[in-house]
Coordinates of all heavy atoms in Angstrom, one line a residue:
A41 N -13.3 7.7 -4.9 CA -12.7 6.7 -4.1 C -11.9 7.4 -2.9 O -11.4 8.5 -3.0 CB -11.7 5.9 -4.9
V42 N -11.9 6.7 -1.8 CA -11.2 7.2 -0.6 C -9.7 6.9 -0.8 O -8.9 7.8 -0.4 CB -11.7 6.5 0.6 CG1 -10.9 6.9 1.9 CG2 -13.2 6.8 0.8
V43 N -9.3 5.8 -1.3 CA -7.9 5.4 -1.5 C -7.8 4.6 -2.8 O -8.7 3.6 -3.0 CB -7.3 4.6 -0.3 CG1 -5.9 4.2 -0.6 CG2 -7.4 5.4 1.0
N44 N -6.9 4.9 -3.6 CA -6.6 4.0 -4.8 C -5.2 3.4 -4.6 O -4.3 4.0 -4.1 CB -6.6 4.9 -6.1 CG -8.0 5.3 -6.4 OD1 -8.9 4.5 -6.6 ND2 -8.2 6.6 -6.4
C45 N -5.1 2.1 -5.0 CA -3.9 1.4 -4.8 C -3.5 0.6 -6.0 O -4.4 -0.1 -6.6 CB -4.1 0.5 -3.6 SG -2.7 -0.6 -3.2
A46 N -2.2 0.5 -6.4 CA -1.7 -0.4 -7.4 C -0.4 -0.9 -6.9 O 0.4 -0.2 -6.3 CB -1.5 0.4 -8.7
V47 N -0.2 -2.2 -7.1 CA 1.0 -2.9 -6.7 C 1.5 -3.8 -7.8 O 0.7 -4.5 -8.4 CB 0.7 -3.8 -5.4 CG1 2.0 -4.5 -5.0 CG2 0.2 -3.0 -4.2
S48 N 2.8 -3.8 -8.0 CA 3.3 -4.7 -9.0 C 4.6 -5.3 -8.4 O 5.2 -4.8 -7.4 CB 3.7 -3.9 -10.3 OG 4.7 -3.0 -10.1
K49 N 5.0 -6.4 -9.0 CA 6.2 -7.1 -8.6 C 7.1 -7.5 -9.8 O 6.6 -8.1 -10.7 CB 5.8 -8.4 -7.8 CG 6.9 -9.1 -7.2 CD 6.4 -10.4 -6.4 CE 7.5 -11.2 -5.8 NZ 7.0 -12.3 -5.1
K50 N 8.3 -7.2 -9.7 CA 9.3 -7.5 -10.7 C 10.6 -7.9 -10.1 O 11.1 -7.1 -9.2 CB 9.5 -6.4 -11.7 CG 10.4 -6.7 -12.8 CD 10.5 -5.6 -13.8 CE 11.5 -6.0 -14.9 NZ 11.7 -4.8 -15.8
D51 N 11.1 -9.1 -10.4 CA 12.4 -9.5 -9.8 C 12.4 -9.5 -8.3 O 13.4 -9.2 -7.7 CB 13.6 -8.7 -10.4 CG 13.7 -8.8 -11.9 OD1 13.4 -9.8 -12.5 OD2 14.1 -7.7 -12.5
G52 N 11.3 -9.9 -7.7 CA 11.2 -10.0 -6.3 C 11.0 -8.7 -5.5 O 10.9 -8.7 -4.3
L53 N 10.9 -7.6 -6.2 CA 10.8 -6.3 -5.6 C 9.4 -5.7 -6.0 O 8.9 -5.9 -7.1 CB 11.9 -5.3 -6.1 CG 13.3 -5.7 -5.7 CD1 14.3 -4.7 -6.3 CD2 13.4 -5.7 -4.2
Y54 N 8.8 -5.0 -5.1 CA 7.4 -4.5 -5.3 C 7.5 -3.0 -5.6 O 8.4 -2.3 -5.1 CB 6.6 -4.7 -4.0 CG 6.2 -6.1 -3.8 CD1 7.1 -6.9 -3.0 CD2 5.1 -6.7 -4.3 CE1 6.7 -8.2 -2.7 CE2 4.7 -8.0 -4.0 CZ 5.6 -8.7 -3.2 OH 5.3 -10.0 -3.0
T55 N 6.5 -2.5 -6.3 CA 6.3 -1.1 -6.5 C 4.8 -0.9 -6.0 O 3.9 -1.6 -6.4 CB 6.4 -0.7 -8.0 OG1 7.7 -0.9 -8.5 CG2 6.0 0.8 -8.2
V56 N 4.7 0.1 -5.2 CA 3.4 0.4 -4.6 C 3.0 1.9 -5.0 O 3.9 2.8 -4.8 CB 3.4 0.3 -3.1 CG1 2.0 0.7 -2.5 CG2 3.7 -1.2 -2.7
V57 N 1.8 2.1 -5.5 CA 1.3 3.4 -5.8 C 0.0 3.6 -5.0 O -0.9 2.7 -5.0 CB 1.0 3.6 -7.3 CG1 0.5 5.0 -7.6 CG2 2.2 3.2 -8.1
L58 N 0.0 4.7 -4.2 CA -1.2 5.0 -3.5 C -1.7 6.4 -3.8 O -0.8 7.3 -3.8 CB -1.0 4.9 -1.9 CG -0.9 3.6 -1.3 CD1 -0.6 3.8 0.2 CD2 -2.2 2.8 -1.5
G59 N -3.0 6.6 -4.0 CA -3.6 7.9 -4.1 C -4.6 8.0 -3.0 O -5.6 7.2 -3.0
A60 N -4.4 8.9 -2.1 CA -5.3 9.1 -1.0 C -5.8 10.5 -1.1 O -5.2 11.5 -0.6 CB -4.6 8.9 0.3
T61 N -7.0 10.7 -1.7 CA -7.5 12.1 -1.9 C -7.7 12.7 -0.6 O -7.9 12.1 0.4 CB -8.9 12.0 -2.6 OG1 -9.8 11.1 -1.9 CG2 -8.8 11.5 -4.0
P62 N -7.5 14.0 -0.5 CA -7.4 15.0 -1.5 C -5.9 15.2 -2.0 O -5.7 16.2 -2.7 CB -7.9 16.3 -0.9 CG -7.6 16.1 0.6 CD -7.7 14.6 0.8
L63 N -5.0 14.4 -1.7 CA -3.6 14.5 -2.1 C -3.3 13.8 -3.4 O -4.0 12.9 -3.7 CB -2.7 14.1 -0.9 CG -2.9 14.8 0.4 CD1 -2.1 14.1 1.5 CD2 -2.6 16.2 0.3
K64 N -2.2 14.1 -4.0 CA -1.8 13.4 -5.2 C -1.2 12.0 -4.9 O -0.7 11.7 -3.8 CB -0.7 14.2 -6.0 CG -1.2 15.5 -6.5 CD -0.2 16.2 -7.3 CE -0.7 17.5 -7.8 NZ 0.3 18.2 -8.6
A65 N -1.3 11.2 -5.9 CA -0.7 9.8 -5.8 C 0.8 9.9 -5.7 O 1.4 10.8 -6.2 CB -1.1 9.0 -7.0
K66 N 1.3 8.8 -5.0 CA 2.8 8.7 -4.8 C 3.2 7.3 -5.1 O 2.5 6.4 -4.8 CB 3.2 9.1 -3.4 CG 4.7 9.1 -3.1 CD 5.0 9.5 -1.7 CE 6.5 9.3 -1.5 NZ 7.0 9.6 -0.2
V67 N 4.4 7.2 -5.7 CA 5.0 5.9 -6.0 C 6.1 5.6 -5.1 O 7.0 6.5 -4.8 CB 5.5 5.9 -7.4 CG1 6.2 4.5 -7.8 CG2 4.4 6.2 -8.4
V68 N 6.2 4.4 -4.5 CA 7.3 3.9 -3.8 C 7.8 2.7 -4.6 O 7.1 1.7 -4.7 CB 7.0 3.5 -2.3 CG1 8.2 2.9 -1.6 CG2 6.5 4.8 -1.6
D69 N 9.0 2.7 -5.1 CA 9.5 1.8 -6.1 C 10.6 0.9 -5.5 O 11.4 1.3 -4.6 CB 10.1 2.6 -7.2 CG 10.0 1.9 -8.5 OD1 9.4 0.8 -8.6 OD2 10.6 2.4 -9.5
Q70 N 10.6 -0.4 -5.9 CA 11.6 -1.4 -5.6 C 11.9 -1.5 -4.1 O 12.9 -1.3 -3.6 CB 12.9 -1.0 -6.3 CG 12.8 -1.0 -7.8 CD 14.1 -1.0 -8.5 OE1 15.2 -1.0 -7.9 NE2 14.1 -0.9 -9.8
I71 N 10.8 -2.0 -3.5 CA 10.9 -2.3 -2.1 C 10.8 -3.8 -1.8 O 10.1 -4.5 -2.6 CB 9.8 -1.6 -1.3 CG1 8.4 -1.9 -1.8 CG2 10.1 -0.1 -1.3 CD1 7.3 -1.3 -1.0
E72 N 11.4 -4.3 -0.8 CA 11.2 -5.7 -0.4 C 10.2 -5.8 0.7 O 10.1 -5.1 1.6 CB 12.5 -6.2 0.1 CG 13.6 -6.4 -0.9 CD 14.9 -7.0 -0.4 OE1 14.7 -8.1 0.4 OE2 16.0 -6.5 -0.6
L73 N 9.3 -6.8 0.4 CA 8.2 -7.1 1.4 C 8.3 -8.6 1.7 O 8.4 -9.4 0.7 CB 6.8 -6.7 0.9 CG 6.6 -5.2 0.6 CD1 5.3 -5.0 -0.1 CD2 6.7 -4.4 1.9
H74 N 8.3 -9.0 2.9 CA 8.5 -10.4 3.3 C 7.2 -11.0 3.9 O 6.6 -10.3 4.8 CB 9.7 -10.6 4.2 CG 10.9 -10.0 3.7 ND1 11.7 -10.6 2.7 CD2 11.6 -8.8 4.0 CE1 12.7 -9.8 2.4 NE2 12.7 -8.7 3.2
D75 N 6.8 -12.2 3.6 CA 5.6 -12.8 4.1 C 5.6 -12.8 5.7 O 4.6 -12.6 6.3 CB 5.4 -14.2 3.6 CG 5.0 -14.2 2.1 OD1 4.5 -13.2 1.7 OD2 5.2 -15.2 1.5
E76 N 6.8 -13.2 6.2 CA 6.8 -13.3 7.7 C 6.8 -12.0 8.5 O 6.4 -12.0 9.6 CB 8.1 -14.1 8.1 CG 9.4 -13.5 7.7 CD 9.9 -13.7 6.3 OE1 9.2 -14.5 5.6 OE2 10.9 -13.1 5.9
S77 N 7.0 -10.9 7.8 CA 6.9 -9.6 8.5 C 6.1 -8.6 7.7 O 6.4 -7.4 7.7 CB 8.4 -9.1 8.7 OG 9.0 -8.9 7.5
L78 N 5.1 -9.1 7.0 CA 4.4 -8.3 6.0 C 3.7 -7.1 6.7 O 3.7 -6.0 6.2 CB 3.3 -9.2 5.3 CG 2.6 -8.5 4.1 CD1 3.6 -7.9 3.1 CD2 1.6 -9.4 3.4
D79 N 3.0 -7.4 7.8 CA 2.3 -6.3 8.5 C 3.3 -5.1 8.9 O 3.0 -4.0 8.7 CB 1.6 -6.8 9.8 CG 0.3 -7.4 9.4 OD1 -0.4 -7.0 8.4 OD2 -0.1 -8.4 10.2
E80 N 4.4 -5.5 9.5 CA 5.4 -4.5 9.9 C 6.0 -3.8 8.6 O 6.2 -2.6 8.7 CB 6.5 -5.2 10.7 CG 6.1 -5.7 12.0 CD 5.5 -7.1 12.0 OE1 5.5 -7.7 10.9 OE2 4.9 -7.5 13.0
D81 N 6.3 -4.6 7.6 CA 6.8 -4.0 6.3 C 5.8 -3.0 5.7 O 6.2 -1.9 5.3 CB 7.1 -5.1 5.3 CG 8.3 -5.9 5.7 OD1 9.0 -5.6 6.6 OD2 8.5 -7.0 5.0
I82 N 4.6 -3.3 5.7 CA 3.5 -2.4 5.2 C 3.4 -1.2 6.1 O 3.3 -0.1 5.6 CB 2.2 -3.1 5.0 CG1 2.3 -4.2 3.9 CG2 1.1 -2.1 4.6 CD1 1.1 -5.0 3.7
D83 N 3.4 -1.4 7.4 CA 3.4 -0.2 8.3 C 4.5 0.8 8.0 O 4.3 2.0 8.0 CB 3.4 -0.7 9.7 CG 2.1 -1.3 10.2 OD1 1.1 -1.1 9.5 OD2 2.1 -2.0 11.2
A84 N 5.7 0.2 7.8 CA 6.9 1.1 7.5 C 6.7 1.8 6.2 O 7.0 2.9 6.0 CB 8.2 0.2 7.5
L85 N 6.2 1.0 5.2 CA 5.9 1.6 3.9 C 4.9 2.7 3.9 O 5.1 3.8 3.3 CB 5.4 0.5 2.9 CG 4.8 0.9 1.6 CD1 5.9 1.4 0.7 CD2 4.0 -0.2 1.0
L86 N 3.9 2.6 4.7 CA 2.8 3.6 4.8 C 3.3 4.9 5.4 O 2.7 5.9 5.2 CB 1.6 3.0 5.6 CG 0.8 2.0 4.9 CD1 -0.3 1.4 5.8 CD2 0.2 2.5 3.6
E87 N 4.4 4.8 6.2 CA 5.0 6.0 6.7 C 5.6 7.0 5.7 O 5.8 8.2 5.9 CB 6.1 5.7 7.8 CG 5.6 5.0 9.0 CD 4.5 5.8 9.7 OE1 4.7 7.0 9.9 OE2 3.5 5.2 10.1
Q88 N 5.8 6.4 4.5 CA 6.3 7.2 3.4 C 5.2 8.0 2.6 O 5.5 8.8 1.7 CB 7.0 6.4 2.4 CG 8.2 5.7 3.0 CD 9.0 4.8 2.0 OE1 9.3 5.2 0.9 NE2 9.2 3.6 2.4
F89 N 3.9 7.7 3.0 CA 2.8 8.4 2.3 C 2.1 9.4 3.3 O 2.1 9.2 4.5 CB 1.8 7.3 1.9 CG 2.2 6.4 0.8 CD1 2.8 5.2 1.1 CD2 2.0 6.8 -0.5 CE1 3.2 4.4 0.1 CE2 2.5 5.9 -1.5 CZ 3.1 4.7 -1.3
R90 N 1.5 10.4 2.7 CA 0.7 11.3 3.4 C -0.8 11.0 3.1 O -1.1 10.8 2.0 CB 1.0 12.8 3.0 CG 2.3 13.2 3.6 CD 2.6 14.7 3.2 NE 1.5 15.6 3.5 CZ 1.1 16.6 2.7 NH1 1.8 16.8 1.6 NH2 0.1 17.3 2.9
F91 N -1.6 11.0 4.1 CA -3.0 10.8 4.0 C -3.8 12.0 4.4 O -3.6 12.4 5.6 CB -3.4 9.6 4.8 CG -2.8 8.3 4.3 CD1 -1.6 7.9 4.8 CD2 -3.4 7.5 3.3 CE1 -1.0 6.7 4.4 CE2 -2.8 6.4 2.9 CZ -1.6 6.0 3.4
G92 N -4.6 12.6 3.5 CA -5.3 13.8 3.9 C -6.7 13.5 4.5 O -7.1 12.3 4.5
N93 N -7.3 14.5 5.0 CA -8.6 14.4 5.6 C -9.6 15.2 4.7 O -9.3 16.2 4.2 CB -8.7 15.1 7.0 CG -7.8 14.4 8.0 OD1 -8.1 13.2 8.3 ND2 -6.8 15.1 8.5
N94 N -10.8 14.7 4.6 CA -11.9 15.4 4.0 C -13.2 14.7 4.4 O -13.2 13.8 5.3 CB -11.8 15.6 2.5 CG -12.0 14.3 1.7 OD1 -12.4 13.3 2.2 ND2 -11.6 14.3 0.4
Q95 N -14.3 15.2 3.9 CA -15.6 14.6 4.3 C -15.8 13.1 4.0 O -16.6 12.5 4.6 CB -16.8 15.4 3.7 CG -17.0 15.3 2.2 CD -16.1 16.2 1.4 OE1 -15.1 16.8 1.9 NE2 -16.4 16.3 0.1
R96 N -15.0 12.6 3.1 CA -15.1 11.2 2.8 C -14.3 10.3 3.7 O -14.5 9.1 3.7 CB -14.7 11.0 1.3 CG -15.6 11.6 0.4 CD -15.3 11.2 -1.1 NE -16.3 11.8 -1.9 CZ -16.2 13.0 -2.6 NH1 -15.1 13.7 -2.4 NH2 -17.1 13.4 -3.4
G97 N -13.3 10.8 4.4 CA -12.6 10.0 5.3 C -11.4 10.7 6.0 O -10.8 11.6 5.4
S98 N -11.1 10.2 7.2 CA -10.0 10.8 7.9 C -8.7 10.2 7.4 O -8.7 9.1 6.7 CB -10.1 10.5 9.4 OG -10.0 9.1 9.7
S99 N -7.5 10.7 7.8 CA -6.3 10.2 7.4 C -6.0 8.8 8.0 O -5.5 7.9 7.3 CB -5.1 11.1 7.7 OG -5.1 11.4 9.1
E100 N -6.5 8.6 9.2 CA -6.3 7.3 9.9 C -7.1 6.2 9.1 O -6.7 5.1 8.9 CB -6.7 7.4 11.3 CG -5.6 8.0 12.2 CD -4.2 7.4 12.1 OE1 -4.1 6.1 12.1 OE2 -3.2 8.1 11.8
Y101 N -8.4 6.6 8.8 CA -9.2 5.6 8.0 C -8.6 5.3 6.7 O -8.5 4.1 6.3 CB -10.6 6.3 7.8 CG -11.5 5.4 7.0 CD1 -12.1 4.3 7.4 CD2 -11.8 5.8 5.6 CE1 -12.9 3.5 6.7 CE2 -12.6 5.1 4.8 CZ -13.2 3.9 5.3 OH -14.0 3.2 4.6
R102 N -8.1 6.3 6.0 CA -7.4 6.0 4.7 C -6.2 5.1 4.9 O -5.9 4.2 4.0 CB -7.0 7.3 4.1 CG -8.2 8.2 3.6 CD -7.7 9.5 3.2 NE -8.7 10.5 3.2 CZ -9.6 10.7 2.2 NH1 -9.5 10.0 1.1 NH2 -10.5 11.6 2.3
K103 N -5.5 5.3 5.9 CA -4.3 4.5 6.2 C -4.6 3.0 6.4 O -4.0 2.1 5.9 CB -3.5 5.0 7.4 CG -2.1 4.5 7.5 CD -1.4 5.3 8.6 CE 0.1 5.0 8.7 NZ 0.8 5.8 9.7
V104 N -5.7 2.8 7.2 CA -6.2 1.4 7.4 C -6.6 0.8 6.1 O -6.3 -0.4 5.8 CB -7.3 1.4 8.5 CG1 -8.0 0.1 8.5 CG2 -6.8 1.8 9.8
I105 N -7.4 1.5 5.3 CA -7.9 1.0 4.0 C -6.7 0.7 3.1 O -6.7 -0.3 2.4 CB -8.9 2.0 3.4 CG1 -10.1 2.1 4.2 CG2 -9.2 1.5 2.0 CD1 -10.9 0.8 4.5
A106 N -5.7 1.6 3.1 CA -4.5 1.4 2.2 C -3.8 0.1 2.6 O -3.4 -0.6 1.7 CB -3.6 2.6 2.4
K107 N -3.7 -0.2 3.9 CA -3.0 -1.4 4.3 C -3.7 -2.6 3.9 O -3.1 -3.6 3.3 CB -2.8 -1.4 5.9 CG -2.0 -2.6 6.4 CD -1.8 -2.4 7.9 CE -1.0 -3.6 8.4 NZ -0.6 -3.4 9.8
V108 N -5.0 -2.6 4.0 CA -5.8 -3.7 3.5 C -5.7 -3.9 2.0 O -5.5 -5.0 1.5 CB -7.3 -3.5 3.9 CG1 -8.2 -4.6 3.2 CG2 -7.5 -3.6 5.4
L109 N -5.7 -2.8 1.2 CA -5.6 -2.9 -0.2 C -4.3 -3.4 -0.6 O -4.1 -4.2 -1.6 CB -5.9 -1.6 -0.9 CG -7.3 -1.1 -0.7 CD1 -7.4 0.4 -1.3 CD2 -8.3 -2.0 -1.5
I110 N -3.2 -3.0 0.0 CA -1.8 -3.4 -0.3 C -1.7 -4.9 0.0 O -1.2 -5.7 -0.8 CB -0.8 -2.6 0.5 CG1 -0.8 -1.2 0.0 CG2 0.6 -3.3 0.3 CD1 0.1 -0.2 0.8
K111 N -2.2 -5.4 1.1 CA -2.1 -6.8 1.5 C -2.9 -7.7 0.5 O -2.4 -8.7 0.1 CB -2.7 -7.0 2.9 CG -1.7 -6.6 4.0 CD -2.3 -6.7 5.4 CE -2.2 -8.1 5.8 NZ -2.6 -8.3 7.3
R112 N -4.1 -7.2 0.1 CA -4.9 -8.0 -0.9 C -4.1 -8.0 -2.2 O -4.1 -9.1 -2.9 CB -6.2 -7.3 -1.1 CG -7.2 -7.5 0.0 CD -8.5 -6.9 -0.3 NE -9.4 -7.0 0.9 CZ -10.6 -6.4 0.9 NH1 -11.0 -5.6 -0.1 NH2 -11.4 -6.6 2.0
A113 N -3.5 -6.9 -2.7 CA -2.8 -6.9 -3.9 C -1.6 -7.8 -3.9 O -1.4 -8.6 -4.9 CB -2.4 -5.5 -4.3
I114 N -0.9 -7.8 -2.8 CA 0.3 -8.7 -2.7 C -0.1 -10.1 -2.7 O 0.5 -11.0 -3.4 CB 1.1 -8.4 -1.4 CG1 1.8 -7.0 -1.6 CG2 2.1 -9.4 -1.1 CD1 2.3 -6.4 -0.3
K115 N -1.2 -10.5 -2.0 CA -1.7 -11.8 -2.0 C -2.1 -12.3 -3.4 O -1.8 -13.4 -3.8 CB -2.9 -11.9 -1.0 CG -3.5 -13.3 -0.9 CD -4.7 -13.4 0.0 CE -5.2 -14.8 0.0 NZ -6.5 -14.8 0.9
E116 N -2.8 -11.4 -4.1 CA -3.2 -11.8 -5.5 C -2.0 -11.9 -6.4 O -2.0 -12.9 -7.2 CB -4.2 -10.7 -6.0 CG -4.8 -11.1 -7.3 CD -5.9 -10.1 -7.8 OE1 -6.5 -9.5 -6.9 OE2 -6.1 -10.0 -9.0
I117 N -1.1 -11.0 -6.3 CA 0.2 -11.1 -7.1 C 0.8 -12.5 -6.9 O 1.3 -13.2 -7.8 CB 1.1 -10.0 -6.9 CG1 0.5 -8.7 -7.5 CG2 2.5 -10.3 -7.4 CD1 1.3 -7.4 -7.0
N118 N 1.0 -12.8 -5.6 CA 1.7 -14.1 -5.3 C 0.9 -15.3 -5.7 O 1.5 -16.3 -6.0 CB 2.1 -14.0 -3.8 CG 3.2 -13.0 -3.6 OD1 4.0 -12.7 -4.4 ND2 3.2 -12.5 -2.4
E119 N -0.4 -15.3 -5.6 CA -1.2 -16.4 -6.0 C -1.1 -16.6 -7.5 O -1.0 -17.8 -8.0 CB -2.7 -16.2 -5.6 CG -2.9 -16.4 -4.1 CD -4.3 -16.1 -3.7 OE1 -5.1 -15.7 -4.6 OE2 -4.6 -16.3 -2.5
V120 N -1.1 -15.5 -8.3 CA -1.0 -15.6 -9.7 C 0.3 -16.2 -10.2 O 0.5 -16.9 -11.1 CB -1.3 -14.3 -10.4 CG1 -1.0 -14.3 -11.9 CG2 -2.8 -13.9 -10.1
A121 N 1.4 -15.8 -9.4 CA 2.7 -16.2 -9.7 C 3.0 -17.7 -9.5 O 3.9 -18.2 -10.0 CB 3.7 -15.4 -8.9
L122 N 2.1 -18.4 -8.7 CA 2.3 -19.8 -8.5 C 2.0 -20.6 -9.7 O 1.8 -21.1 -10.4 CB 1.4 -20.2 -7.3 CG 1.8 -19.6 -6.0 CD1 0.8 -20.1 -4.9 CD2 3.2 -20.0 -5.5

């Protein structure tokens, strides 16, 4: 996999785990993400992660994919919660 992503939500706060090979996975815990500023919030969140380069993808490509995966996970979490 180029990027692995897990997102959970508890008491209105999110936990995001990203693994972007060839680097180890990292956890960012208890963060607030808001629907009206979701893109900006995710961009700020992604600054806390390092994305490596290898033959499977550049760091910029991994960052774009990570943002898409995080947005999809948040959308799914919030749909299930309804």
Side-chain angles (χ1 to χ4, degrees):
V42 175
V43 176
N44 291 299
C45 174
V47 179
S48 66
K49 183 179 181 182
K50 182 178 179 185
D51 299 327
L53 298 175
Y54 292 89
T55 297
V56 177
V57 181
L58 281 179
T61 55
L63 303 173
K64 292 183 180 181
K66 181 178 176 181
V67 177
V68 176
D69 210 6
Q70 297 192 5
I71 55 172
E72 290 186 46
L73 300 172
H74 306 283
D75 287 339
E76 60 277 354
S77 61
L78 189 57
D79 281 329
E80 293 84 7
D81 291 347
I82 293 174
D83 287 339
L85 168 69
L86 289 175
E87 293 302 316
Q88 299 180 49
F89 292 93
R90 287 184 44 220
F91 297 90
N93 294 300
N94 67 15
Q95 68 276 14
R96 291 187 177 95
S98 68
S99 61
E100 285 303 313
Y101 174 74
R102 292 172 199 275
K103 196 171 189 177
V104 169
I105 297 300
K107 184 173 182 175
V108 170
L109 292 175
I110 293 169
K111 285 175 76 171
R112 286 181 183 173
I114 290 169
K115 181 179 177 185
E116 188 171 334
I117 288 169
N118 290 331
E119 286 176 357
V120 171
L122 295 176

